[in-house]
Amino acid sequence: MLAVVAQALEHIILVGNPGSGKSTILNSLVGDVVFSSGVSLGGGHTKFIQTHVSGLVKYSDTPGLDDIKSKEAAAHEIEKLFSESDNVKLVFVVTLESWRIKPADATTIKVVLDSLGQGDMTNKFTVIVNQASDELASVLSQGGEAFKMFQNDLFISHRTDFIIFQDMDVNAWEKKNALIDVSELKENLFQLPYISIDTSKLAPIDVKSIEKVKEEAAIALRNQKAAYEEQLRIARESKPKRKRGLFTKIVETVSVVTDMVGDATKVVERIINLPETVIREPQRVPERMVGEINRSAKKVEKAIKRMFR
C-alpha cells in the first residue's frame, strides 16, 4: 500500500508600496494574470490580501502602506496575514530614484519588520529592487563601499544581504496586467531565507509613526547623498571593462543598421501616407522626417567606428 505524503506549501509574501510592481512580479512568477496590476492613479491596485497557489508555492500580495487614505486598512490586512502564517519568505519590493531608495520604501521595511517582534532580523528577509537598470545591477553587484552605502539606504534598523535586482521592463511597467521575464528571479526565490513567525510576539504595525520615520529617512538620505554619489563614481571607474571581440562588434553594428532601416522604412511610409494638404508644404514635415533618418545614420556611423577601434 502506498503512503501519501502531504508536502507543505512554501509561502512567499511580497510587501511593497503602490507602484512598486509587486503584482506584476507575482503574475510573472505564476505565469498568469491572477493578481491585479498596472498603473493606478490615487493608490495601488491591491486593497486586500490576495493569495494564489501555484504548484507547491503559495504567493501572497499585500496592500501598500504608503497610501494616506488606506494605510490603516492595509496595516490591518498585513497583520492578519502574519497572524495566520508560520514559516514564510518575506520579500520587500522597492523601486529607486536616482539609484537611491525612496524614503517611503525604507519606512515600510522598518515598520513591517518591527511589527514581527522577532528581534534581530539580519539576513532573514529579501529585497527586490524592481525596474533596476543593467548598469545599476552591474555596479552594485561588485560589493564594496557603494553597495554598503546602498544597504544603509535600504534599511533603517534591519539589514540583509539578500538583495535581488530585477531587470527594467519599461513596456510592462506602463501596461495593465503585463508579464515580465522573471526566470532569474524565480531561481533565486527558492534560495531565500525563511522567517519563523511567532504569533505571540506580533505587534500592530505602527501606522502613526510612518510619516515621522519617512521624514527621518529623507533627512538621512540627503545627508549621505554626496558620499554615496562619490562611492558610485569610484565603483563605476573601477568596474572592469568588457573586451569586445570582432564578432560582437559586427553583431552590434548589424543590429544598429537593422534598426536604422526599420526607422527609415517607417518614415517613408509616413511620407507616402501624408495628406495632400501637407504634401503641398513639404518644407516643414518632411524636413523633420529627414532629421529622424539623419539621427539613425549617425548611430550607424558611431557603431562602425566602434567596430574598427
Side-chain angles (χ1 to χ4, degrees):
M1 185 175 179
L2 295 175
V4 178
V5 180
Q7 193 166 356
L9 290 174
E10 184 171 58
H11 192 184
I12 298 176
I13 299 175
L14 264 65
V15 177
N17 288 315
S20 63
K22 301 187 310 306
S23 303
T24 296
I25 289 175
L26 284 168
N27 284 334
S28 303
L29 288 170
V30 172
D32 194 8
V33 178
V34 293
F35 299 92
S36 180
S37 68
V39 177
S40 177
L41 301 177
H45 277 278
T46 308
K47 303 298 182 184
F48 303 97
I49 297 297
Q50 299 180 59
T51 297
H52 180 81
V53 176
S54 177
L56 294 174
V57 182
K58 178 166 73 172
Y59 297 99
S60 292
D61 190 7
T62 60
L65 291 171
D66 192 40
D67 188 337
I68 296 175
K69 295 181 180 179
S70 61
K71 61 183 178 182
E72 291 188 6
H76 178 70
E77 286 290 304
I78 296 171
E79 292 163 5
K80 182 181 177 183
L81 178 63
F82 286 160
S83 69
E84 298 170 349
S85 305
D86 40 30
N87 291 327
V88 303
K89 290 186 174 182
L90 184 57
V91 180
F92 293 92
V93 181
V94 305
T95 55
L96 307 182
E97 287 180 349
S98 301
W99 286 31
R100 307 198 75 191
I101 190 171
K102 301 171 186 175
D105 289 341
T107 299
T108 292
I109 293 173
K110 174 177 169 52
V111 297
V112 170
L113 291 178
D114 284 351
S115 75
L116 293 174
Q118 307 290 306
D120 184 11
M121 296 294 294
T122 302
N123 290 332
K124 293 183 180 178
F125 62 99
T126 302
V127 173
I128 294 176
V129 180
N130 196 19
Q131 296 293 315
S133 67
D134 290 340
E135 185 185 10
L136 169 72
S138 175
V139 169
L140 293 181
S141 63
Q142 298 177 76
E145 288 302 314
F147 181 72
K148 289 179 183 177
M149 294 193 75
F150 181 75
Q151 283 183 308
N152 289 336
D153 281 356
L154 283 173
F155 322 117
I156 298 175
S157 60
H158 304 281
R159 295 182 63 81
T160 186
D161 293 325
F162 293 93
I163 300 175
I164 299 172
F165 297 97
Q166 173 59 36
D167 295 343
M168 182 177 289
D169 190 332
V170 177
N171 293 328
W173 184 255
E174 296 173 347
K175 293 179 182 178
K176 183 177 181 180
N177 295 329
L179 299 181
I180 59 176
D181 180 9
V182 291
S183 52
E184 187 175 348
L185 174 59
K186 186 176 288 189
E187 291 176 8
N188 287 325
L189 282 178
F190 297 100
Q191 303 170 22
L192 302 183
Y194 283 97
I195 294 178
S196 295
I197 296 179
D198 184 344
T199 54
S200 67
K201 294 181 179 179
L202 292 175
I205 293 174
D206 190 358
V207 175
K208 292 181 179 179
S209 73
I210 287 178
E211 293 306 314
K212 181 181 177 182
V213 175
K214 194 193 303 184
E215 185 178 340
E216 292 172 351
I219 292 172
L221 287 168
R222 282 198 299 270
N223 292 340
Q224 298 169 6
K225 184 174 186 289
Y228 178 63
E229 289 178 348
E230 174 63 13
Q231 291 302 325
L232 282 177
R233 183 190 66 77
I234 294 172
R236 280 193 183 105
E237 291 178 355
S238 62
K239 186 175 68 170
K241 294 184 177 179
R242 179 171 59 94
K243 293 184 178 180
R244 297 159 59 250
L246 180 60
F247 178 76
T248 302
K249 294 176 181 179
I250 292 173
V251 170
E252 290 177 355
T253 303
V254 169
S255 176
V256 174
V257 171
T258 302
D259 290 343
M260 190 211 71
V261 172
D263 292 343
T265 302
K266 290 178 183 177
V267 171
V268 171
E269 289 175 351
R270 286 168 61 188
I271 292 174
I272 293 173
N273 294 322
L274 282 174
E276 188 177 342
T277 53
V278 176
I279 294 176
R280 291 172 185 169
E281 300 181 70
Q283 69 276 12
R284 292 174 58 190
V285 179
E287 184 178 338
R288 186 177 71 243
M289 294 178 177
V290 170
E292 293 178 12
I293 296 176
N294 286 338
R295 282 192 291 274
S296 295
K298 286 179 181 178
K299 290 181 183 178
V300 175
E301 183 181 356
K302 288 181 180 179
I304 293 174
K305 286 181 179 178
R306 287 178 63 194
M307 187 176 74
F308 291 103
R309 280 177 186 171

